[in-house]
Amino acid sequence: MSSRRIFLHQASLSALAMTIPSLPNFAEAMSSRNDQEGVLRVAIMGLGSYGTRVAQAMESSKRAKVVGVISGTPSKVENWKKKYGIPDKNCYNYENFDAIKDNPDIDAVYVITPNALHKEQSIRVAKAGKHVICEKPMAINAAEAKEMVTACEEAGVKLLIGYRLHFEANTLKVVNMRKAGDFGDIKFFQGLSGFMIGDPTQWRLDPALSGGGAMMDIGIYSINGARYMVGEEPIWVTAQEVKTDPVKFKEGIDETITFQLGFPSGVVASCLSTYSQNNLDKFFLNGTKGFAEMQPSTGYGPIKGRTHQGALDEPHIMHQTVQMDQMAGIILDGAEPPIPVDGREGLKDMVIIDAIFEAVKTGGKVAISV
Amino acid sequence: MSSRRIFLHQASLSALAMTIPSLPNFAEAMSSRNDQEGVLRVAIMGLGSYGTRVAQAMESSKRAKVVGVISGTPSKVENWKKKYGIPDKNCYNYENFDAIKDNPDIDAVYVITPNALHKEQSIRVAKAGKHVICEKPMAINAAEAKEMVTACEEAGVKLLIGYRLHFEANTLKVVNMRKAGDFGDIKFFQGLSGFMIGDPTQWRLDPALSGGGAMMDIGIYSINGARYMVGEEPIWVTAQEVKTDPVKFKEGIDETITFQLGFPSGVVASCLSTYSQNNLDKFFLNGTKGFAEMQPSTGYGPIKGRTHQGALDEPHIMHQTVQMDQMAGIILDGAEPPIPVDGREGLKDMVIIDAIFEAVKTGGKVAISV
């Protein structure tokens, strides 16, 4: 009964309770090929700073465990082997990881590599018959994202995108208030996403690896946030780019873009994506009956803010811990997340990013259908 | 020496102290045709709610006094006569107010009528040889505003626009911090201006009287605020309009417009103007070294907020009281305001409003030079 106890523990997050469907029966849960009673056995691909953060968060996860690594850096692999007790047979590099197909002790691979590598790597994982968890942005454009969705569907594996905030309690409180009509008719969303990026030699500033600048990395939070906060899909995009440092932010790397999303009901979202400002990470949702303000709205620490009803004070749990617990439920139990985190969800953000870049180029309004 | 004492009293507002030039000598101050020792004698044109508010604020003014009225409603004139002890000879209507030319007891007329009337009325006041204080928006487009500026210059009278926030202590604290470099390089301004407008029969929703909807009335605060907060003049505008209630907001009355202003240094301003949302009135200025958040940022009550250095806690004085005290100094003493409030300042906002409306129509970026 351990998996049921674990599940109930998670369900005690009040904000999630109403959105998590009933547990599949015990026999079903046990019928998975997983031999650790409802624990998702994950290999991390890419042992950089975010991969390290995810692994640390998984130490507190009741349902997901780091059991393998894929890395091009042997010294990192050695460290991870020691830290997480990973056996040699679960360690791969970027040349040989297709062999994971023959490893019955790994259920899923979490792809946490530079954006431009996600597509090829995710498709190789899918073809190896393993579930794919891919960090956002899932790819560098919508065409790549579609290929990934198709490949995973054809391989019969799940494709989940690392949208940790889709499980975050204060975020879900606001989303549930919106669904309950507490804000009245939604009218406006504002997302300000950005930070002053440091080291100019990092891969995020190399267009061949990142596929874009601030928009891919941090602007996507305002795009994705606009969608789950408003609860509609945008039908048009306008965007304006400003570049003040063309040396650091070379061709193909956006520094600052303001963009607007129009929704069918007439809601408009006004957003900022930037690599040259701190003091941001703000969401504001406004309706005819009330509002929500969140700051920080997407950072790794506690999400804070208030609505017209009072403070957003759901307890903080490390986002990636909750995410991995919940993703285990999605993969192993067929659970439905409170807000979608699958490949088709990620594809929508990529369609919008494509449209934003097009709007910057054309200077006009770009119609979209996601 | 009373005018000097009064001036020193005003100068004790610390935020203003550094920007107010030295007092012209006493003889100069006394050489004005004003016989009440440095008190500006004002006739209010338009006795509606804002005119009433201005008159009430002037009860606390040390340097400006309501001495006359211009109104089309005799019952209102009767009430004002009683309340402010206004003699019959200082009461005019819209037909006969040109005769104010021959009234030595009135120095200036404060035009507080529907927007579309400002131009003709202000020019008539100027031709009558009286100083003009005109409520914002100063006109319904830049061409009208230019006519007003020219007419007042030709008549040798001052033209001042009712930019009360240009004298507001917390606003000036932020502006002075920006001038001192406390925010580092300015990168971003956000202005959210709007409210849910009520009575659909009011003149503000009649394009013939208002010349526009939310933009003219409330969006102008974000335009003007962007300029004084950033400290530059915009060089391009983009804008997007959304209308959810075409019955209430008929042709020529904008309901909701998001707009962006680009500045020479690369600063971008992202703003909202709306007649269908409350919970707004927010300014946010972001720089490389710090930020300012103001909410409310433009309302009649206390302006509140914080910067990276702490709370904005300058004491609240009724804005219109400070404005009229300061405008008396500008008109009678030739004082320079901390932020311009003259007709050319108002004209800049009108050029930007014209460009916003053009950008809405064309869907593209509109270059401007103000």
Side-chain angles (χ1 to χ4, degrees), chain A residues 321-359:
Chain A
T321 304
V322 182
Q323 172 196 330
M324 293 310 294
D325 275 343
Q326 294 292 314
M327 285 188 167
I330 294 167
I331 291 173
L332 300 177
D333 310 329
E336 288 288 332
I339 306 170
V341 291
D342 59 19
R344 291 182 179 277
E345 170 77 5
L347 170 58
K348 291 178 181 181
D349 287 345
M350 298 314 302
V351 169
I352 296 168
I353 290 178
D354 282 0
I356 288 170
F357 289 150
E358 188 188 341

Side-chain angles (χ1 to χ4, degrees), chain A residues 11 106 121 131 146 157 165 176 181-182 188 226 232 256 290 304 344:
Chain A
I106 293 173
Q121 291 167 341
H131 300 292
K146 268 184 207 155
V157 299
L165 296 161
N176 287 332
D182 292 355
F188 181 71
E232 298 178 45
T256 299
K304 295 179 181 174
R344 291 182 179 277

Side-chain angles (χ1 to χ4, degrees), chain A residues 16-330:
Chain A
L16 297 177
M18 69 183 72
T19 52
I20 290 177
S22 60
L23 181 72
N25 70 45
F26 186 67
E28 271 176 24
M30 287 302 96
S31 74
S32 93
R33 56 189 166 157
N34 185 328
D35 61 358
Q36 294 197 20
E37 277 197 26
V39 171
L40 184 74
R41 299 162 309 173
V42 178
I44 304 286
M45 180 186 289
L47 308 183
S49 64
Y50 195 68
T52 302
R53 182 182 292 268
V54 167
Q56 284 169 347
M58 286 171 70
E59 293 174 34
S60 311
S61 170
K62 302 277 198 303
R63 297 207 64 189
K65 188 180 171 191
V66 176
V67 300
V69 290
I70 298 135
S71 169
T73 310
S75 61
K76 285 186 184 173
V77 173
E78 281 310 305
N79 289 339
W80 282 59
K81 278 171 66 177
K82 280 179 210 146
K83 179 156 190 189
Y84 292 107
I86 298 170
D88 281 338
K89 73 176 186 65
N90 288 3
C91 297
Y92 298 86
N93 60 41
Y94 291 108
E95 282 70 48
N96 68 14
F97 78 79
D98 307 277
I100 208 165
K101 181 175 185 168
D102 305 314
N103 190 331
D105 297 332
I106 293 173
D107 301 314
V109 175
Y110 196 154
V111 178
I112 312 179
T113 56
N115 311 335
L117 308 178
H118 290 178
K119 183 197 80 164
E120 185 252 355
Q121 291 167 341
S122 294
I123 292 175
R124 282 171 67 189
V125 169
K127 287 186 173 168
K130 303 301 181 184
H131 300 292
V132 180
I133 305 171
C134 181
E135 201 34 47
K136 42 100 335 229
M138 70 184 285
I140 61 168
N141 56 47
E144 283 197 355
K146 268 184 207 155
E147 276 190 69
M148 293 164 68
V149 168
T150 302
C152 290
E153 286 176 355
E154 286 176 359
V157 299
K158 296 267 189 191
L159 170 58
L160 305 182
I161 315 303
Y163 290 123
R164 61 191 158 79
L165 296 161
H166 292 206
F167 307 105
E168 193 280 320
N170 283 306
T171 300
L172 291 173
K173 185 171 179 179
V174 174
V175 169
N176 287 332
M177 284 178 67
R178 186 256 299 156
K179 288 180 179 172
D182 292 355
F183 302 118
D185 296 333
I186 301 298
K187 290 288 182 182
F188 181 71
F189 172 77
Q190 172 210 273
L192 305 183
S193 299
F195 60 92
M196 290 179 76
I197 199 163
D199 178 12
T201 67
Q202 65 187 285
W203 70 261
R204 292 181 189 284
L205 297 175
D206 176 355
L209 287 172
S210 62
M215 186 63 65
M216 287 286 178
D217 183 27
I218 187 80
I220 193 172
Y221 284 104
S222 276
I223 294 169
N224 190 254
R227 295 175 49 243
Y228 64 67
M229 297 289 272
V230 171
E232 298 178 45
E233 298 297 350
I235 54 175
W236 59 257
V237 171
T238 47
Q240 306 80 35
E241 183 173 7
V242 165
K243 192 171 285 194
T244 62
D245 186 347
V247 176
K248 187 166 188 177
F249 307 107
K250 54 186 88 70
E251 178 70 25
I253 297 292
D254 48 286
E255 176 188 339
T256 299
I257 293 179
T258 45
F259 61 97
Q260 303 77 43
L261 307 175
F263 295 84
S265 67
V267 175
V268 64
S270 175
C271 303
L272 170 69
S273 164
T274 183
Y275 262 162
S276 60
Q277 293 173 52
N278 290 323
N279 316 316
L280 298 173
D281 199 6
K282 301 186 190 191
F283 279 4
F284 172 55
L285 183 71
N286 203 18
T288 52
K289 290 185 184 168
F291 67 90
E293 288 178 339
M294 304 166 81
Q295 183 184 19
S297 55
T298 68
Y300 297 146
I303 302 302
K304 295 179 181 174
R306 67 185 181 118
T307 73
H308 60 288
Q309 293 176 355
L312 291 168
D313 51 10
E314 295 293 320
H316 173 64
I317 305 174
M318 209 185 293
H319 302 169
Q320 295 86 357
T321 304
V322 182
Q323 172 196 330
M324 293 310 294
D325 275 343
Q326 294 292 314
M327 285 188 167
I330 294 167

